[in-house]
Amino acid sequence: MFQQSALEKLENYFTPLADRPERCVYFYRFVGVSPEVTAFVRRYYENARRNGVIIDGRIPNPDANQLAYFSEMMGMDFRLDREFLSGKLSKWLPRMSEAQRGTVTSAVFATLEDMLRKGKNENMLRNAYIKYMCWLYYRFEGIVNKLGNENLPKLLYDGAVSHYELQLLIVLSRAGADIVMLERNGDSGYTALDPKSEYSRLYPASGLQPFPPYFNLKWIQSEVIREANRQRLYGPEPKRKACTNAWMKKPQLSEVLTDIRARGGDDRFFYNSFLAQYGVSDKLTFPGDIFAFYKQMKAGNRRVCIVNNGIAVPTPGEIAAIRRKNYTSAEQLAGDLVQNIRYAADAELQRLMIKAFLDTVLGEQNQPDVSISRMTNQAVYLLCWLKRYQEDLFANWKMPEVSAFILFGKCATEHEAKFLRLLAKLPVDVLFLQPNLNEGGCFQEDGALVLHCENSLPMDAFPVDESRARVSTAAYQAERDLDALMYQDSGLYRTQQYSKAETVILRTMYEEIALLWDQELKYRPTFQVVNGTVTLPVLLEKICGVKDGQTSQYWLDIKKLITPDTLVVAGIPWIDPLDANPIKSCATQFLQNGKLLKSRIKSHKAYSYGILRAEMQEYLLDKLQLLLDQRVIAGTYQNGTEYTIIAVALNLKKEILRLLQRFDFTKKNPKLIVINTTEEILSLDESILFAFLNLLGFDILFFVPTGYQCIERHFQKPFTNEQQIGEYLYDLSPPDFSTLQERGRNPIRKWFGRSN
């Protein structure tokens, strides 16, 4: 009979019999899992499926038909005798060789003797014998002729073993089979049958965790199938794999300059780096140092691809070039989309790209809240970017060359972080450099060497030529540091310090309007700056009626509100529908799936905002997107009104653009006074314009002495706060405010506070 032995490592289960110490077998119980055990069980399951038996739950007792057939063929007699057992086995299981039959006979005899020594009577031994013979024939007949072979059969038992089942497993172990038992409910049930663990061993590894609820044979089967499908997806394995960062002598950026051939000589690997650096060690020298770093890489004939301030999203053309379908599983998605990867110039590089893409995509499927739709979007982004930068990184590539990809400034999205991880699996040095510590981002540091420097240095772009390598003087940098101290959370603000803002509408009494009107925004209630975004408290009021019916004072009160930052609209309509608007004919090109195509807008010949500050251009487009998203204007995304909104917002009058160009979010904001003394109603274009100006931060006052509903028609909900200040008057004519003077007071007597 075969003897059990202790494992040195789990891999010994798959060692041929001749290479095992004393030609032993293994019989182990597992009460928990680890990554190593999980991988082992998957492999063992596959071996048992091909050359063994898998038992899920208990082995069914022989039924009446099986017992009747056994009785008919073998009779019901029994003797605890080797010759008797051998004869019965020869007739019942004729496929066994003589040596196998002898081993099984000895194993059954020894097991029944064990039962006899423990006080079992002959009738109980007879029942056990019949049960074993039926189980061997009906459940294990496929392996009895493989027992003791060089490639031992494998038994995998998942369940709470019974006394008779354990005895049969002992028989099979002694006859030459390896056995693994999964005890997902703990070891107490087994030790009740075998208190001293005489017949099997408990796997002793430390750190095992309890079996998770999903861990069963069906799950293992699905994992084995999934792994087989993955192998079909991957195709031929690349000859080399990445050795990332391990070759570095020191954890520093300069190590990337190490010659490729000096990094290592093992032909199984290519040697690359994956590094992220936050901040700079010296603000004075960093621009010059990084420019010298770039020149040294180029001097070594390295291909270098530099992307500043985030990777631009794929264009509609790039996305359209990716062949894709609808998918129901991650494997189906990955298997179809990977067909988009083609690199005819080098088969090895194509295999590396395929493996990197599949590893990145399939590695996300077990993450929480990841849907197939989201995985598809991410995969399409990865493919678009891989095609976009393929020529820059791999033109005329030959092993062991390693190119460089530098993302400078910020990693703005999760998609970009995944793309960096994908590139790090290829012969590419992947560097993410963020000198400005105040810049947020989505970089995920899995597998990257992360360097943290204490100094922060805002930089627009990576310097790739002498004209861009701007080195600060010590005095200039000292001034910048002092500037940061003075204007950081101090209540003092540098000119044009902030580029992002959002508006809130103040609710006020009528008498407060004159007090707030010419006041800097930073002194108004609710003004604040959070994470670089300014909250702008603005006025948006409809003032109905004339106080006390006094028109002369009414006009004087309006005149007092006219400041250098104020536009006055003395009558409706303000926008002539016949005025030329070059945006109207192309507005449909600027919107896709509810999102503005900013790059397309800025590059279009009809775009007239290119003369404005870059920050203001971005601000205008952000607020236009917000106006569309909020659907303030009735009909947005229902009848094409969204294109009218775009046309109006991208065709602002020159005087409005000049106010916006000098608008500083911490100082006085631009203002608009609209006077409507007639029955005219705001047109759709005018409604869009005023809603847009409100989002941009304008104070807007509508003076409506008639009290008519002349503003509300094109808005989804009430647009303004409304003030009722006096009686309604009609047919008034706004005066020329430039010549309007206060009457009834002599200029000389005004100095003394006396009237005429």
Side-chain angles (χ1 to χ4, degrees), residues 553-620:
Q553 188 60 46
Y554 180 72
W555 300 125
L556 284 171
D557 289 342
I558 293 175
K559 179 178 180 178
K560 292 174 184 177
L561 299 174
I562 300 175
T563 70
D565 293 316
T566 304
L567 289 177
V568 178
V569 178
I572 297 297
W574 188 33
I575 297 178
D576 188 336
L578 299 179
D579 286 347
N581 185 337
I583 300 295
K584 281 188 177 180
S585 61
C586 51
T588 55
Q589 304 174 29
F590 298 154
L591 191 67
Q592 186 175 54
N593 298 324
K595 298 298 179 184
L596 287 175
L597 304 176
K598 293 183 180 180
S599 58
R600 180 175 294 182
I601 292 172
K602 291 180 178 180
S603 62
H604 198 277
K605 63 181 181 180
Y607 179 68
S608 61
Y609 296 171
I611 59 174
L612 299 178
R613 291 180 287 125
E615 298 86 354
M616 182 51 66
Q617 292 184 54
E618 196 67 23
Y619 181 67
L620 283 163

Side-chain angles (χ1 to χ4, degrees), residues 288-552:
D289 290 345
I290 203 69
F291 177 57
F293 175 89
Y294 171 76
K295 288 200 298 183
Q296 192 168 341
M297 292 188 78
K298 296 297 288 183
N301 295 319
R302 298 278 301 278
R303 280 179 293 274
V304 183
C305 179
I306 297 174
V307 178
N308 290 303
N309 299 311
I311 305 173
V313 299
T315 65
E318 288 176 322
I319 293 174
I322 302 300
R323 299 186 302 275
R324 59 192 184 278
K325 304 173 184 175
N326 294 323
Y327 308 108
T328 58
S329 68
E331 286 78 10
Q332 183 189 40
L333 175 157
D336 184 61
L337 288 178
V338 77
Q339 304 302 317
N340 288 278
I341 297 178
R342 291 288 182 268
Y343 194 77
D346 193 284
E348 175 69 2
L349 184 56
Q350 178 171 305
R351 286 192 288 266
L352 286 169
M353 289 180 181
I354 288 173
K355 187 176 189 306
F357 174 77
L358 292 174
D359 285 348
T360 304
V361 172
L362 294 176
E364 300 297 322
Q365 65 177 323
N366 294 324
Q367 298 297 320
D369 302 324
V370 175
S371 65
I372 295 298
S373 175
R374 183 178 176 189
M375 288 184 66
T376 302
N377 291 338
Q378 291 179 344
V380 168
Y381 268 56
L382 295 178
L383 290 170
C384 289
W385 287 333
L386 189 59
K387 285 190 174 185
R388 180 191 297 175
Y389 298 113
Q390 188 170 284
E391 185 68 18
D392 292 337
L393 293 171
F394 303 117
N396 302 315
W397 177 88
K398 297 294 181 185
M399 193 67 79
E401 294 176 7
V402 174
S403 54
F405 183 90
I406 301 175
L407 179 59
F408 188 82
K410 65 180 178 181
C411 178
T413 67
E414 181 183 337
H415 297 330
E416 293 170 63
K418 285 183 173 60
F419 182 63
L420 294 184
R421 294 205 300 275
L422 184 152
L423 287 182
K425 303 176 191 296
L426 300 175
V428 180
D429 284 334
V430 180
L431 311 178
F432 171 50
L433 306 179
Q434 184 175 299
N436 186 356
L437 294 176
N438 297 318
E439 188 75 66
C442 296
F443 181 70
Q444 299 166 4
E445 299 170 353
D446 300 344
L449 170 63
V450 181
L451 306 176
H452 291 279
C453 302
E454 60 182 6
N455 298 308
S456 180
L457 179 64
M459 290 184 66
D460 295 331
F462 190 101
V464 295
D465 54 51
E466 289 82 351
S467 64
R468 299 298 300 271
R470 301 174 182 175
V471 181
S472 303
T473 65
Y476 175 84
Q477 193 58 54
E479 183 185 30
R480 293 296 93 195
D481 293 342
L482 180 60
D483 187 69
L485 289 173
M486 289 181 62
Y487 300 118
Q488 186 70 34
D489 300 324
S490 65
L492 300 175
Y493 301 102
R494 187 174 64 248
T495 300
Q496 303 294 356
Q497 182 171 350
Y498 299 105
S499 60
K500 296 181 180 179
E502 55 188 21
T503 59
V504 294
I505 299 172
L506 290 174
R507 281 191 170 275
T508 68
M509 299 290 291
Y510 171 69
E511 290 74 15
E512 290 181 287
I513 293 175
L515 299 175
L516 295 169
W517 185 254
D518 201 30
Q519 192 177 63
E520 289 189 355
L521 291 167
K522 63 185 176 183
Y523 299 124
R524 289 184 178 180
T526 74
F527 174 87
Q528 61 179 342
V529 181
V530 178
N531 296 326
T533 299
V534 184
T535 299
L536 307 177
V538 300
L539 299 170
L540 181 59
E541 302 285 339
K542 177 184 177 185
I543 302 166
C544 299
V546 177
K547 189 173 183 181
D548 300 326
Q550 298 296 317
T551 57
S552 57

Side-chain angles (χ1 to χ4, degrees), residues 266-300:
D266 194 329
D267 288 341
R268 295 173 300 169
F269 302 100
F270 58 85
Y271 297 87
N272 68 344
S273 58
F274 186 19
L275 182 148
Q277 177 172 307
Y278 297 94
V280 301
S281 56
D282 190 319
K283 290 188 283 188
L284 291 176
T285 63
F286 179 78
D289 290 345
I290 203 69
F291 177 57
F293 175 89
Y294 171 76
K295 288 200 298 183
Q296 192 168 341
M297 292 188 78
K298 296 297 288 183

